[in-house]
Amino acid sequence: MKSVHHRRIASLARHFRMEEGGSIAFSPTSATASSFAHVKQAPEDAILGVTVAYNKDPSPVKVNLGVGAYRTEEGKPLVLNVVRKAEEQLLADRARNKEYLGITGIPQFNKLSAELILGRDSPAIAQGRVITAQCLSGTGSLRVGGEFLATHYSGPKVIYVPSPTWGNHLKIFPLAGLETRTYRYYNPKTRGLDYEGMIEDLRAAPNGAVVLLHACAHNPTGVDLTQEEWEGLRKVIRNDKQQLPFFDSAYQGFASGSLDTDAFAVRRFVNDGGETFIAQSYAKNMGLYGERVGALSIVVRDPSVAARVESQLKLVIRPMYSSPPTYGAAIVSTILSNPALYDEWKVELKAMADRIISMRHQLFDALKARKTPGDWTHILNQIGMFTFTGLNKQQVEYMTKEYHIYMTMDGRISMAGLSSRTVPQLADAIHSAVVKFSS
Ligand code: KET
């Protein structure tokens, strides 16, 4: 029988169109032709490509509501005050150096990150059942977790992601070596959760399958489960199907403004003693987007396997990028370990969450004032950074062309990119698009 590792290499080889034996089919080209002449132009990324198009538009009134990145009322990127303070402390500390970190990053950062998502009093942490590795933001944490599962998980190497989901999930997991399937999540008719569909699909999924869950503020829909629904889901995943939850936590603190409230689902699953994967990102909640700081935590049932799991996790990371960068994680550790900075962070985080919520009200009121056809209450009901407007591709293209409003083709708008100044422009654009092309 082929080893798991061998099978994985074989599947990667197929992915890159190599032959089973590992040799690449090579047809000699003339001395002048490029060996890459066959390479096709790839499409821009569905989310990051919106920023590329936005940057090319010379219009002074252009608005970027594509990527999920927080902007101030003035439309500017925000560096949190606590981040500035932490940076000043780091700069003043002449004992700091630029040595390599260990493969799993800064130990203090890992401990504090696990406590942030699981709670300081988490029994799983106290029992030594949590392994945490500093990774390259949320994306890197998902990728490392995915590869670890593809190599070491004893259950089926298939992951179920919600439909729809953050587009990159559909690219990360197949490349990590997991077969990727979807479960129903969103009902476009109600613009709400398809709870029955979700449960039905997970019941029909194999026992032991991995299930990707958005910890809070589901992207792109802004539709979350209620606490009762989380509990129902947990029973199916844990009791009926012995599936493995993999939480993507990219918005802790952004949904409700409270770090603890937004960690509810993760804690509910971890506190039942079962095994759980968690990918955390500090991109949004600390505004550290470009610093690429995040963490993968693996919660195991039995503390005696923790050291072995960690040793293998290092073998996943070392050939991928060797060790993570120091700077962003040092900022996070400084903030999380200093009670005054931690409290200040919570206030700033709440202010960001509140500004987004106020944008929801302003946009809703602006559409109401314009008597825009349709029911827009979902703008108020959806949670987190995004509104899943229900606008179709034709309407989105029209809004970009006529109003210089940039957003993803699925009709998602980043509420964090909106300001009191730009709400009327967006409301005019939506109104006109809806009247012109009824969906
Ligand atoms: N998970 C989710 C659900 C998510 O929305 C993002 C980013 C990430 C993970 C990864 O973020 P990172 O920067 O790797 O920590 N989403 C926004 C940005 C992007 O697409 O890269 C977005 O949806 O706009």
Side-chain angles (χ1 to χ4, degrees):
M1 202 182 103
K2 283 181 177 179
S3 72
V4 168
H5 189 67
H6 186 101
R7 278 206 306 272
R8 194 162 128 56
I9 300 285
S11 90
L12 283 177
R14 275 196 297 282
H15 185 85
F16 292 111
R17 297 185 199 294
M18 289 162 73
E19 288 161 4
E20 270 285 314
S23 66
I24 301 170
F26 184 73
S27 47
T29 50
S30 78
T32 50
S34 170
S35 304
F36 305 103
H38 62 285
V39 174
K40 292 195 183 71
Q41 182 68 39
E44 289 285 358
D45 181 83
I47 297 172
L48 302 184
V50 175
T51 303
V52 175
Y54 168 84
N55 287 338
K56 283 187 193 151
D57 185 344
S59 165
V61 299
K62 63 184 177 177
V63 187
N64 187 1
L65 305 178
V67 68
Y70 186 83
R71 298 285 176 264
T72 62
E73 261 294 293
E74 292 71 45
K76 298 273 184 301
L78 178 68
V79 179
L80 298 186
N81 225 353
V82 276
V83 168
R84 296 267 190 232
K85 284 187 183 171
E87 288 183 305
E88 280 161 17
Q89 282 188 19
L90 293 171
L91 194 63
D93 182 357
R94 306 310 284 183
R96 287 181 53 75
N97 59 45
K98 304 285 187 192
E99 287 295 285
Y100 289 130
L101 294 179
I103 295 171
T104 55
I106 302 175
Q108 187 197 27
F109 166 87
N110 289 336
K111 179 173 173 286
L112 293 166
S113 294
E115 286 175 0
L116 182 67
I117 188 72
L118 301 182
R120 280 202 186 125
D121 54 354
S122 159
I125 297 177
Q127 293 155 6
R129 295 194 289 110
V130 185
I131 304 109
T132 305
Q134 178 194 331
C135 292
L136 307 188
S137 215
T139 307
S141 307
L142 292 163
R143 178 65 187 254
V144 168
E147 295 220 8
F148 180 85
L149 287 167
T151 316
H152 297 290
Y153 184 45
S154 60
K157 291 180 184 184
V158 37
I159 187 164
Y160 282 74
V161 302
S163 174
T165 193
W166 180 51
N168 217 12
H169 286 150
L170 301 165
K171 300 183 177 157
I172 291 170
F173 293 119
L175 279 172
L178 295 174
E179 188 186 328
T180 306
R181 300 182 193 154
T182 58
Y183 60 84
R184 274 173 284 170
Y185 186 85
Y186 177 75
N187 181 347
K189 286 209 188 75
T190 61
R191 294 204 173 111
L193 184 70
D194 183 1
Y195 183 69
E196 283 73 35
M198 177 181 193
I199 295 291
E200 211 175 284
D201 286 352
L202 292 178
R203 278 194 197 283
N207 285 349
V210 185
V211 182
L212 188 285
L213 300 164
H214 294 228
C216 68
H218 181 274
N219 177 9
T221 66
V223 173
D224 281 358
L225 282 72
T226 62
Q227 297 201 349
E228 291 69 36
E229 286 165 340
W230 275 118
E231 184 52 16
L233 175 73
R234 190 190 64 78
K235 285 188 179 137
V236 171
I237 288 182
R238 292 297 202 202
N239 306 347
D240 304 345
K241 302 294 297 184
Q242 290 84 44
Q243 290 162 340
L244 178 67
F246 191 157
F247 280 98
D248 180 352
S249 176
Y251 299 96
Q252 189 184 357
F254 248 91
S256 68
S258 154
L259 289 160
D260 290 326
T261 305
D262 290 353
F264 168 84
V266 175
R267 291 178 189 175
R268 197 29 102 79
F269 273 78
V270 170
N271 289 344
D272 69 13
E275 307 200 303
T276 308
F277 276 50
I278 307 143
Q280 274 171 278
S281 167
Y282 290 99
K284 329 273 169 164
N285 59 12
M286 265 194 209
L288 292 173
Y289 306 90
E291 299 295 355
R292 312 307 295 144
V293 50
L296 171 72
S297 283
I298 301 178
V299 184
V300 291
R301 207 183 299 268
D302 173 359
S304 75
V305 306
R308 280 179 280 139
V309 166
E310 185 174 23
S311 71
Q312 290 294 341
L313 195 57
K314 287 182 187 171
L315 293 192
V316 173
I317 294 168
R318 171 65 167 151
M320 208 191 287
Y321 54 82
S322 193
S323 60
T326 320
Y327 190 66
I331 294 172
V332 172
S333 297
T334 305
I335 294 170
L336 296 185
S337 62
N338 176 321
L341 292 183
Y342 189 89
D343 286 345
E344 203 178 321
W345 174 46
K346 286 199 288 193
V347 173
E348 286 191 82
L349 181 56
K350 174 94 171 48
M352 288 194 283
D354 285 349
R355 199 187 81 73
I356 295 171
I357 292 168
S358 104
M359 284 304 114
R360 292 187 180 280
H361 288 278
Q362 288 188 31
L363 179 60
F364 179 79
D365 291 346
L367 291 172
K368 213 164 103 186
R370 284 163 182 72
K371 299 195 169 53
T372 306
D375 176 3
W376 297 95
T377 47
H378 58 289
I379 295 176
L380 300 176
N381 298 335
Q382 292 173 356
I383 294 163
M385 240 182 183
F386 304 107
T387 291
F388 205 46
T389 57
L391 295 165
N392 62 32
K393 187 165 175 276
Q394 193 180 32
Q395 292 167 328
V396 171
E397 278 168 349
Y398 168 81
M399 286 165 59
T400 305
K401 190 161 168 280
E402 299 297 328
Y403 289 84
H404 304 277
I405 286 172
Y406 288 79
M407 54 196 276
T408 52
M409 285 300 165
D410 58 2
R412 183 190 89 166
I413 56 179
S414 170
M415 298 308 282
L418 207 54
S419 67
S420 306
R421 186 179 53 83
T422 51
V423 163
Q425 184 183 346
L426 176 61
D428 286 345
I430 293 178
H431 184 88
S432 165
V434 168
V435 171
K436 209 169 161 73
F437 313 98
S438 47
S439 48

